[in-house]
Amino acid sequence: MPGRGTAAGAGRHPGLRDVARVAGVSHQTVSRVLNDLPDVAPTTRSKVLAAVEELGYRRNLTARNLATNRSGTLGIVTDASPRLGPVSTLMALETAARTQGLTCAVVTIREPYATSVPAALRGLEEMGVHGIVAIAPLAAAAATVRAYRARVPLVLIAAGEVSTPRVLALGEDQELGARIATQHLIRLGHRDVVHIAGSLDWLDGRVRHRGWAAEMDEAGLASHRWFESDWSPAYAYALGKTLLEEGLPTAVFAASDHMALGLLRAFAESGVRVPHDVSVIGYDDVEGSDFFFPPLTTVRQDFTELARDALNLLEDPASAALREEPPKAPTLVVRGSTAAPRA
């Protein structure tokens, strides 16, 4: 006698309803399981997945896309930089897209942006993507994305950028994050706070520097002592040695955790104790920053929520609530690298 695996019929691929019948659930429940949506009991999910395996079911994305008038593919343009922000945003977008049953087509861009950005966007449009998210941390790349006249919904993820009628922009409020970090040091009693900024070619570097300067100015403190970097630990390490020669501040705000790590090594090699002699605060909350020595006080971003907001905005570009919602506020994570200055 034929087994249940042949119930779809000879010559016909098993469908969603075949899986539902074998699993003893509704086809809506099967759809929720396949799209990895919540509110499905673990035992039910296991039965559905077992039926999928037994029947050899594979989703017909072409048929689904014809029915929903969507390509089922999300286009993502991202800078080729390996740094944490772009990479974390890309991973969060891919995960969020997969949860919604979408596949992703990813294209990387690099200098010269005047040619790579239009080529990337045009190529994704020709693939028939239903929308594009552009991750553009550098100011030049973001400006080129804005100048492109897209034929599909386009969302720009970039720090400090605002939406326009043609391009919807999203980003965490990194200027606020920098202010939160600086405010933490000021509230501890620090009056001499040096800032190691990221590259000002990066929007992230610009807004984090702006936040530090604004918070220092509002507190009536000098905001002239800052340094532009290349984001690397090596730069911060060398700068730490320079600060030791020129006069150590009571606190340093580094625009990334990796730069904070370079500082910590420079200070440790010279016998400077953190936070007893100088406090150090970073930005990003990279994996392992809680195992720096000492554990690093830092600012955490929520890349997962940013990715969800980007996809929601693509689905409903006219949503006033999404367009006018203020940028997400980062979170201060206090650990052992900051303390009140010594008398």
Short mmCIF file of all heavy atoms in Angstrom, two decimals, residues 45-85:
data_model
loop_
_atom_site.label_atom_id
_atom_site.label_comp_id
_atom_site.label_asym_id
_atom_site.label_seq_id
_atom_site.Cartn_x
_atom_site.Cartn_y
_atom_site.Cartn_z
N ARG A 45 4.66 22.73 15.51
CA ARG A 45 5.76 23.05 14.58
C ARG A 45 6.52 21.79 14.20
O ARG A 45 6.88 21.59 13.02
CB ARG A 45 6.68 24.08 15.23
CG ARG A 45 7.75 24.66 14.30
CD ARG A 45 8.63 25.67 15.03
NE ARG A 45 7.85 26.79 15.52
CZ ARG A 45 7.56 27.87 14.80
NH1 ARG A 45 8.00 27.94 13.54
NH2 ARG A 45 6.85 28.85 15.30
N SER A 46 6.76 20.92 15.18
CA SER A 46 7.49 19.68 14.90
C SER A 46 6.71 18.78 13.95
O SER A 46 7.29 18.16 13.05
CB SER A 46 7.77 18.94 16.21
OG SER A 46 8.60 19.70 17.05
N LYS A 47 5.38 18.71 14.13
CA LYS A 47 4.55 17.87 13.25
C LYS A 47 4.59 18.40 11.82
O LYS A 47 4.66 17.63 10.86
CB LYS A 47 3.11 17.84 13.76
CG LYS A 47 2.92 16.98 15.00
CD LYS A 47 1.44 16.68 15.26
CE LYS A 47 0.63 17.95 15.52
NZ LYS A 47 -0.78 17.64 15.83
N VAL A 48 4.52 19.72 11.68
CA VAL A 48 4.54 20.31 10.33
C VAL A 48 5.87 20.05 9.65
O VAL A 48 5.93 19.64 8.48
CB VAL A 48 4.25 21.83 10.41
CG1 VAL A 48 4.52 22.48 9.05
CG2 VAL A 48 2.82 22.08 10.85
N LEU A 49 6.96 20.26 10.37
CA LEU A 49 8.29 20.05 9.78
C LEU A 49 8.51 18.58 9.43
O LEU A 49 9.15 18.26 8.42
CB LEU A 49 9.36 20.54 10.75
CG LEU A 49 9.37 22.06 10.99
CD1 LEU A 49 10.43 22.42 12.04
CD2 LEU A 49 9.61 22.82 9.70
N ALA A 50 7.96 17.67 10.25
CA ALA A 50 8.07 16.25 9.94
C ALA A 50 7.31 15.91 8.67
O ALA A 50 7.77 15.12 7.83
CB ALA A 50 7.55 15.42 11.12
N ALA A 51 6.13 16.51 8.51
CA ALA A 51 5.34 16.28 7.28
C ALA A 51 6.04 16.85 6.06
O ALA A 51 6.02 16.24 4.98
CB ALA A 51 3.95 16.91 7.44
N VAL A 52 6.66 18.02 6.21
CA VAL A 52 7.42 18.62 5.10
C VAL A 52 8.52 17.67 4.66
O VAL A 52 8.73 17.43 3.46
CB VAL A 52 8.01 19.99 5.54
CG1 VAL A 52 9.07 20.45 4.55
CG2 VAL A 52 6.91 21.03 5.67
N GLU A 53 9.22 17.10 5.64
CA GLU A 53 10.32 16.19 5.32
C GLU A 53 9.80 14.90 4.69
O GLU A 53 10.38 14.39 3.71
CB GLU A 53 11.10 15.87 6.61
CG GLU A 53 12.33 15.01 6.40
CD GLU A 53 13.40 15.72 5.60
OE1 GLU A 53 13.42 16.98 5.59
OE2 GLU A 53 14.23 15.02 4.97
N GLU A 54 8.71 14.38 5.21
CA GLU A 54 8.15 13.13 4.70
C GLU A 54 7.69 13.26 3.27
O GLU A 54 7.92 12.39 2.43
CB GLU A 54 6.99 12.69 5.59
CG GLU A 54 6.31 11.40 5.12
CD GLU A 54 5.14 11.02 6.00
OE1 GLU A 54 5.02 11.58 7.11
OE2 GLU A 54 4.36 10.15 5.57
N LEU A 55 7.03 14.39 2.97
CA LEU A 55 6.48 14.58 1.63
C LEU A 55 7.50 15.14 0.64
O LEU A 55 7.26 15.14 -0.56
CB LEU A 55 5.28 15.53 1.69
CG LEU A 55 4.05 15.02 2.44
CD1 LEU A 55 3.02 16.12 2.57
CD2 LEU A 55 3.46 13.82 1.71
N GLY A 56 8.62 15.65 1.16
CA GLY A 56 9.58 16.29 0.27
C GLY A 56 9.06 17.60 -0.27
O GLY A 56 9.37 17.99 -1.40
N TYR A 57 8.26 18.29 0.55
CA TYR A 57 7.63 19.53 0.09
C TYR A 57 8.66 20.64 -0.08
O TYR A 57 9.55 20.83 0.75
CB TYR A 57 6.57 19.99 1.10
CG TYR A 57 6.03 21.37 0.85
CD1 TYR A 57 5.07 21.59 -0.14
CD2 TYR A 57 6.47 22.46 1.59
CE1 TYR A 57 4.58 22.87 -0.38
CE2 TYR A 57 5.99 23.73 1.36
CZ TYR A 57 5.04 23.94 0.38
OH TYR A 57 4.56 25.20 0.15
N ARG A 58 8.54 21.38 -1.18
CA ARG A 58 9.35 22.57 -1.42
C ARG A 58 8.42 23.70 -1.85
O ARG A 58 7.55 23.49 -2.69
CB ARG A 58 10.40 22.32 -2.51
CG ARG A 58 11.44 21.27 -2.13
CD ARG A 58 12.31 21.76 -0.98
NE ARG A 58 13.32 20.77 -0.61
CZ ARG A 58 13.15 19.82 0.28
NH1 ARG A 58 11.99 19.69 0.91
NH2 ARG A 58 14.11 18.98 0.56
N ARG A 59 8.62 24.88 -1.27
CA ARG A 59 7.73 25.99 -1.60
C ARG A 59 7.92 26.46 -3.03
O ARG A 59 9.04 26.54 -3.53
CB ARG A 59 7.99 27.18 -0.66
CG ARG A 59 7.38 26.97 0.71
CD ARG A 59 7.43 28.23 1.52
NE ARG A 59 8.78 28.55 1.97
CZ ARG A 59 9.07 29.59 2.74
NH1 ARG A 59 8.13 30.42 3.11
NH2 ARG A 59 10.31 29.81 3.12
N ASN A 60 6.81 26.74 -3.69
CA ASN A 60 6.84 27.30 -5.04
C ASN A 60 6.77 28.81 -4.92
O ASN A 60 5.69 29.41 -4.90
CB ASN A 60 5.65 26.76 -5.85
CG ASN A 60 5.73 27.19 -7.32
OD1 ASN A 60 6.40 28.15 -7.65
ND2 ASN A 60 5.01 26.46 -8.17
N LEU A 61 7.94 29.43 -4.82
CA LEU A 61 7.97 30.88 -4.62
C LEU A 61 7.42 31.64 -5.82
O LEU A 61 6.82 32.70 -5.68
CB LEU A 61 9.41 31.33 -4.34
CG LEU A 61 10.02 30.80 -3.03
CD1 LEU A 61 11.45 31.28 -2.89
CD2 LEU A 61 9.19 31.25 -1.85
N THR A 62 7.61 31.10 -7.01
CA THR A 62 7.10 31.79 -8.19
C THR A 62 5.58 31.91 -8.13
O THR A 62 5.01 32.98 -8.39
CB THR A 62 7.51 31.03 -9.47
OG1 THR A 62 8.93 30.95 -9.51
CG2 THR A 62 6.99 31.74 -10.71
N ALA A 63 4.91 30.81 -7.78
CA ALA A 63 3.45 30.85 -7.70
C ALA A 63 3.00 31.81 -6.60
O ALA A 63 2.06 32.58 -6.77
CB ALA A 63 2.92 29.44 -7.42
N ARG A 64 3.69 31.78 -5.47
CA ARG A 64 3.31 32.68 -4.38
C ARG A 64 3.46 34.13 -4.80
O ARG A 64 2.63 34.98 -4.52
CB ARG A 64 4.17 32.41 -3.15
CG ARG A 64 3.75 33.23 -1.94
CD ARG A 64 4.81 33.29 -0.88
NE ARG A 64 5.96 34.06 -1.33
CZ ARG A 64 6.99 34.37 -0.55
NH1 ARG A 64 7.02 33.94 0.70
NH2 ARG A 64 8.01 35.06 -1.02
N ASN A 65 4.54 34.42 -5.49
CA ASN A 65 4.80 35.80 -5.86
C ASN A 65 3.80 36.30 -6.91
O ASN A 65 3.41 37.47 -6.89
CB ASN A 65 6.23 35.94 -6.40
CG ASN A 65 7.25 35.59 -5.35
OD1 ASN A 65 6.97 35.70 -4.16
ND2 ASN A 65 8.43 35.15 -5.77
N LEU A 66 3.38 35.41 -7.82
CA LEU A 66 2.35 35.80 -8.78
C LEU A 66 1.04 36.09 -8.07
O LEU A 66 0.32 37.03 -8.42
CB LEU A 66 2.16 34.68 -9.82
CG LEU A 66 3.29 34.53 -10.85
CD1 LEU A 66 3.06 33.27 -11.68
CD2 LEU A 66 3.38 35.76 -11.73
N ALA A 67 0.73 35.31 -7.06
CA ALA A 67 -0.53 35.49 -6.33
C ALA A 67 -0.53 36.77 -5.51
O ALA A 67 -1.55 37.44 -5.37
CB ALA A 67 -0.77 34.29 -5.41
N THR A 68 0.63 37.14 -4.97
CA THR A 68 0.69 38.33 -4.12
C THR A 68 1.20 39.56 -4.85
O THR A 68 1.28 40.64 -4.28
CB THR A 68 1.64 38.06 -2.93
OG1 THR A 68 2.95 37.75 -3.43
CG2 THR A 68 1.14 36.92 -2.07
N ASN A 69 1.54 39.40 -6.12
CA ASN A 69 2.05 40.52 -6.93
C ASN A 69 3.34 41.08 -6.32
O ASN A 69 3.59 42.28 -6.36
CB ASN A 69 1.00 41.62 -7.07
CG ASN A 69 1.34 42.58 -8.22
OD1 ASN A 69 1.97 42.17 -9.20
ND2 ASN A 69 0.94 43.83 -8.10
N ARG A 70 4.16 40.20 -5.73
CA ARG A 70 5.43 40.60 -5.16
C ARG A 70 6.51 39.67 -5.70
O ARG A 70 6.27 38.51 -5.98
CB ARG A 70 5.41 40.52 -3.63
CG ARG A 70 4.52 41.51 -2.97
CD ARG A 70 4.45 41.27 -1.49
NE ARG A 70 5.78 41.21 -0.88
CZ ARG A 70 5.96 40.97 0.42
NH1 ARG A 70 4.94 40.75 1.21
NH2 ARG A 70 7.18 40.95 0.91
N SER A 71 7.72 40.21 -5.82
CA SER A 71 8.80 39.37 -6.33
C SER A 71 9.28 38.38 -5.29
O SER A 71 9.88 37.37 -5.62
CB SER A 71 9.98 40.25 -6.75
OG SER A 71 10.63 40.78 -5.62
N GLY A 72 9.04 38.68 -4.02
CA GLY A 72 9.53 37.80 -2.97
C GLY A 72 11.00 37.98 -2.69
O GLY A 72 11.59 37.22 -1.92
N THR A 73 11.62 38.99 -3.32
CA THR A 73 13.05 39.23 -3.13
C THR A 73 13.27 40.66 -2.64
O THR A 73 12.76 41.62 -3.22
CB THR A 73 13.83 39.02 -4.44
OG1 THR A 73 13.62 37.68 -4.89
CG2 THR A 73 15.31 39.26 -4.24
N LEU A 74 14.04 40.78 -1.58
CA LEU A 74 14.43 42.07 -1.05
C LEU A 74 15.82 42.40 -1.57
O LEU A 74 16.74 41.60 -1.46
CB LEU A 74 14.45 42.04 0.48
CG LEU A 74 15.06 43.27 1.17
CD1 LEU A 74 14.17 44.48 0.99
CD2 LEU A 74 15.31 42.98 2.65
N GLY A 75 15.97 43.57 -2.16
CA GLY A 75 17.28 44.03 -2.60
C GLY A 75 18.00 44.75 -1.47
O GLY A 75 17.40 45.60 -0.80
N ILE A 76 19.25 44.43 -1.24
CA ILE A 76 20.05 45.10 -0.21
C ILE A 76 21.34 45.60 -0.85
O ILE A 76 22.07 44.83 -1.49
CB ILE A 76 20.39 44.17 0.96
CG1 ILE A 76 19.12 43.62 1.61
CG2 ILE A 76 21.24 44.91 1.99
CD1 ILE A 76 19.39 42.62 2.72
N VAL A 77 21.59 46.88 -0.70
CA VAL A 77 22.86 47.47 -1.13
C VAL A 77 23.62 47.83 0.13
O VAL A 77 23.09 48.48 1.03
CB VAL A 77 22.62 48.73 -1.98
CG1 VAL A 77 23.94 49.44 -2.26
CG2 VAL A 77 21.91 48.38 -3.27
N THR A 78 24.87 47.40 0.22
CA THR A 78 25.64 47.67 1.43
C THR A 78 27.08 47.99 1.10
O THR A 78 27.62 47.52 0.08
CB THR A 78 25.60 46.47 2.40
OG1 THR A 78 26.27 46.82 3.62
CG2 THR A 78 26.26 45.24 1.79
N ASP A 79 27.68 48.82 1.92
CA ASP A 79 29.08 49.15 1.75
C ASP A 79 29.93 47.91 1.99
O ASP A 79 29.58 47.05 2.79
CB ASP A 79 29.48 50.25 2.74
CG ASP A 79 30.85 50.81 2.46
OD1 ASP A 79 30.94 51.75 1.66
OD2 ASP A 79 31.82 50.29 3.03
N ALA A 80 31.05 47.83 1.29
CA ALA A 80 31.92 46.65 1.39
C ALA A 80 32.73 46.63 2.67
O ALA A 80 33.51 45.71 2.89
CB ALA A 80 32.86 46.59 0.19
N SER A 81 32.55 47.63 3.54
CA SER A 81 33.33 47.69 4.78
C SER A 81 33.01 46.50 5.68
O SER A 81 31.87 46.10 5.82
CB SER A 81 33.01 48.99 5.53
OG SER A 81 33.51 48.93 6.85
N PRO A 82 34.05 45.95 6.34
CA PRO A 82 33.82 44.85 7.28
C PRO A 82 33.48 45.34 8.69
O PRO A 82 33.39 44.53 9.61
CB PRO A 82 35.18 44.13 7.28
CG PRO A 82 36.17 45.24 7.08
CD PRO A 82 35.49 46.23 6.15
N ARG A 83 33.28 46.62 8.89
CA ARG A 83 33.07 47.15 10.24
C ARG A 83 31.72 46.73 10.79
O ARG A 83 30.80 46.37 10.06
CB ARG A 83 33.25 48.66 10.24
CG ARG A 83 34.64 49.07 9.80
CD ARG A 83 35.07 50.43 10.28
NE ARG A 83 36.43 50.74 9.83
CZ ARG A 83 37.54 50.29 10.38
NH1 ARG A 83 37.46 49.52 11.45
NH2 ARG A 83 38.72 50.62 9.90
N LEU A 84 31.60 46.83 12.11
CA LEU A 84 30.48 46.24 12.83
C LEU A 84 29.12 46.75 12.36
O LEU A 84 28.21 45.97 12.13
CB LEU A 84 30.63 46.51 14.33
CG LEU A 84 29.48 45.98 15.18
CD1 LEU A 84 29.62 44.49 15.38
CD2 LEU A 84 29.40 46.70 16.52
N GLY A 85 28.97 48.07 12.24
CA GLY A 85 27.66 48.63 11.92
C GLY A 85 27.06 48.09 10.63
O GLY A 85 25.95 47.53 10.64
#
